[in-house]
């Protein structure tokens, strides 16, 4: 498996950024509408990508150390 790490600067309150990166509902707003999962430490969030109603790929993210409003690892 390949590890991908990103670091970006975002002008938004930390609570809003955390919601967008560490919750299925937040990820569904900006990345993949079909996103489900568990937002708790050790949980997995799955984002499914579709085209014309067919799944064309999926990505799973494991929340190793989510710290609400501070950090997502």
């Amino acid at each position: 498996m390949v590890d991908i790490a990103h670091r970006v600067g975002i002008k938004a309150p930390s609570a809003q950024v955390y919601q967008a990166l560490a919750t299925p509902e937040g990820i569904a707003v900006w990345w993949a509408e079909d996103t489900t999962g568990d937002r708790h430490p050790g949980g997995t969030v799955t984002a499914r990508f579709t085209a014309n109603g067919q799944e064309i790929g999926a990505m799973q993210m494991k929340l190793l150390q989510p710290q609400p409003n501070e950090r997502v690892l």
Side-chain angles (χ1 to χ4, degrees):
M1 179 189 301
V2 176
D3 289 336
I4 300 173
H6 293 278
R7 184 177 185 135
V8 297
I10 301 171
K11 290 186 179 183
S14 59
Q16 188 176 358
V17 174
Y18 182 86
Q19 173 73 17
L21 296 177
T23 68
E25 300 84 6
I27 294 168
V29 169
W30 66 272
W31 197 24
E33 289 181 12
D34 185 8
T35 300
T36 58
D38 179 1
R39 70 185 74 220
H40 298 96
T44 300
V45 175
T46 302
R48 290 180 178 79
F49 305 95
T50 60
N52 301 319
Q54 293 187 328
E55 184 174 311
I56 57 172
M59 181 171 188
Q60 289 188 326
M61 298 169 280
K62 187 164 191 156
L63 297 173
L64 300 176
Q65 297 175 8
Q67 298 171 347
N69 305 332
E70 292 184 30
R71 178 181 175 176
V72 179
L73 175 66

